[in-house]
Amino acid sequence: VVSNIKAWEGAVCVAGPGVAGRVASNRFLQYRPIPTEPNLVAWLAQYLLSDEGLAAIGGASPGSADRNRTLSMDAFEAIEVPVPLRQAQDHIATVAARTRAIKRSKDKRDQLMDAVLPAARNEIFNAITTR
Protein backbone atom coordinates (compact mmCIF):
# COMPACT_ATOMS: atom_id res chain seq x y z
CA VAL A 1 0.00 0.00 0.00
CA VAL A 2 1.50 3.34 -1.09
CA SER A 3 0.15 6.85 -0.57
CA ASN A 4 -0.50 8.51 -3.92
CA ILE A 5 0.79 11.81 -2.54
CA LYS A 6 4.41 10.84 -3.27
CA ALA A 7 4.29 8.28 -0.42
CA TRP A 8 3.90 11.24 1.93
CA GLU A 9 6.33 10.99 4.85
CA GLY A 10 7.08 7.34 4.09
CA ALA A 11 3.48 6.19 3.75
CA VAL A 12 4.36 2.72 2.46
CA CYS A 13 3.29 -0.46 4.24
CA VAL A 14 2.47 -4.11 3.82
CA ALA A 15 -1.16 -4.88 4.63
CA GLY A 16 -1.60 -8.26 6.27
CA PRO A 17 -4.33 -10.83 5.72
CA GLY A 18 -6.34 -9.32 8.57
CA VAL A 19 -7.42 -6.42 6.38
CA ALA A 20 -8.72 -8.50 3.47
CA GLY A 21 -12.13 -7.38 2.27
CA ARG A 22 -11.93 -3.92 3.82
CA VAL A 23 -12.46 -0.72 1.88
CA ALA A 24 -9.49 1.63 1.55
CA SER A 25 -9.14 5.24 0.52
CA ASN A 26 -8.48 5.86 -3.14
CA ARG A 27 -5.58 8.04 -1.97
CA PHE A 28 -3.60 4.83 -1.46
CA LEU A 29 -2.37 2.65 -4.31
CA GLN A 30 -2.78 -1.01 -3.46
CA TYR A 31 -0.76 -3.77 -5.06
CA ARG A 32 -0.28 -7.48 -4.68
CA PRO A 33 3.24 -8.40 -5.80
CA ILE A 34 3.57 -11.45 -8.00
CA PRO A 35 4.99 -13.73 -6.79
CA THR A 36 3.56 -13.10 -3.32
CA GLU A 37 6.40 -14.72 -1.38
CA PRO A 38 6.58 -13.06 2.05
CA ASN A 39 10.26 -12.21 1.82
CA LEU A 40 9.86 -10.62 -1.61
CA VAL A 41 7.01 -8.51 -0.23
CA ALA A 42 9.17 -7.57 2.78
CA TRP A 43 12.04 -6.65 0.44
CA LEU A 44 9.77 -4.43 -1.67
CA ALA A 45 8.51 -2.61 1.41
CA GLN A 46 12.04 -2.11 2.73
CA TYR A 47 13.25 -0.87 -0.65
CA LEU A 48 10.36 1.56 -1.08
CA LEU A 49 11.01 2.94 2.43
CA SER A 50 14.73 3.34 1.78
CA ASP A 51 16.21 6.70 0.74
CA GLU A 52 16.60 5.32 -2.80
CA GLY A 53 13.01 4.02 -2.93
CA LEU A 54 11.47 7.20 -1.52
CA ALA A 55 13.54 9.25 -3.98
CA ALA A 56 12.20 7.11 -6.84
CA ILE A 57 8.63 7.63 -5.63
CA GLY A 58 9.25 11.36 -5.20
CA GLY A 59 10.72 11.56 -8.69
CA ALA A 60 7.66 9.80 -10.12
CA SER A 61 5.33 12.30 -8.40
CA PRO A 62 5.15 15.48 -10.52
CA GLY A 63 4.04 18.83 -9.17
CA SER A 64 5.49 21.88 -7.48
CA ALA A 65 3.90 21.84 -4.01
CA ASP A 66 4.43 18.74 -1.85
CA ARG A 67 0.73 18.25 -1.17
CA ASN A 68 0.02 18.35 -4.91
CA ARG A 69 2.69 15.87 -6.00
CA THR A 70 0.36 13.04 -6.93
CA LEU A 71 1.78 9.63 -7.78
CA SER A 72 -0.14 7.90 -10.57
CA MET A 73 -0.43 4.15 -10.91
CA ASP A 74 1.41 4.26 -14.25
CA ALA A 75 4.29 6.25 -12.75
CA PHE A 76 4.52 3.97 -9.72
CA GLU A 77 4.49 0.87 -11.90
CA ALA A 78 7.31 2.32 -14.00
CA ILE A 79 9.67 2.51 -10.99
CA GLU A 80 12.43 -0.04 -11.39
CA VAL A 81 13.06 -1.98 -8.20
CA PRO A 82 16.27 -3.94 -7.90
CA VAL A 83 15.56 -7.46 -6.67
CA PRO A 84 18.44 -9.15 -4.85
CA LEU A 85 19.08 -12.87 -4.72
CA ARG A 86 16.69 -14.91 -2.58
CA GLN A 87 19.27 -15.33 0.19
CA ALA A 88 19.63 -11.54 0.46
CA GLN A 89 15.82 -11.13 0.47
CA ASP A 90 15.57 -13.63 3.33
CA HIS A 91 18.26 -11.83 5.31
CA ILE A 92 16.66 -8.42 4.74
CA ALA A 93 13.22 -9.73 5.73
CA THR A 94 14.65 -11.22 8.94
CA VAL A 95 16.51 -8.05 9.89
CA ALA A 96 13.47 -5.89 9.07
CA ALA A 97 11.19 -8.07 11.22
CA ARG A 98 13.63 -7.94 14.13
CA THR A 99 14.00 -4.18 13.74
CA ARG A 100 10.20 -3.70 13.82
CA ALA A 101 9.96 -5.91 16.94
CA ILE A 102 12.68 -3.88 18.68
CA LYS A 103 10.95 -0.62 17.72
CA ARG A 104 7.59 -1.88 19.07
CA SER A 105 9.32 -2.88 22.32
CA LYS A 106 11.09 0.48 22.56
CA ASP A 107 7.85 2.38 21.85
CA LYS A 108 6.07 0.42 24.59
CA ARG A 109 8.94 1.07 27.01
CA ASP A 110 8.90 4.79 26.19
CA GLN A 111 5.14 4.93 26.71
CA LEU A 112 5.48 3.28 30.12
CA MET A 113 8.38 5.54 31.08
CA ASP A 114 6.36 8.61 30.12
CA ALA A 115 3.55 7.43 32.40
CA VAL A 116 5.73 6.70 35.47
CA LEU A 117 6.50 10.27 36.58
CA PRO A 118 2.91 11.56 36.30
CA ALA A 119 1.66 8.45 38.11
CA ALA A 120 4.25 8.92 40.87
CA ARG A 121 3.30 12.60 41.25
CA ASN A 122 -0.36 11.64 41.43
CA GLU A 123 0.36 8.97 44.06
CA ILE A 124 2.37 11.40 46.20
CA PHE A 125 -0.21 14.18 45.79
CA ASN A 126 -3.02 11.82 46.79
CA ALA A 127 -1.04 10.63 49.81
CA ILE A 128 -0.46 14.20 50.95
CA THR A 129 -4.06 15.37 50.45
CA THR A 130 -5.64 12.39 52.21
CA ARG A 131 -3.78 12.89 55.49
Side-chain angles (χ1 to χ4, degrees), residues 86-129:
R86 177 63 188 258
Q87 183 179 9
Q89 291 177 37
D90 294 346
H91 177 71
I92 291 164
T94 300
V95 170
R98 288 181 183 163
T99 301
R100 284 191 302 276
I102 290 168
K103 184 176 181 336
R104 281 192 302 271
S105 178
K106 180 189 169 301
D107 290 348
K108 184 174 182 177
R109 181 206 64 200
D110 291 350
Q111 184 181 20
L112 291 171
M113 286 178 55
D114 289 346
V116 168
L117 186 57
R121 283 190 201 130
N122 191 38
E123 189 70 26
I124 290 169
F125 182 74
N126 286 338
I128 291 172
T129 58

Side-chain angles (χ1 to χ4, degrees), residues 42-64:
W43 160 250
L44 287 170
Q46 287 306 119
Y47 174 77
L48 292 172
L49 287 168
S50 72
D51 291 342
E52 184 178 335
L54 288 172
I57 291 170
S61 306
S64 57

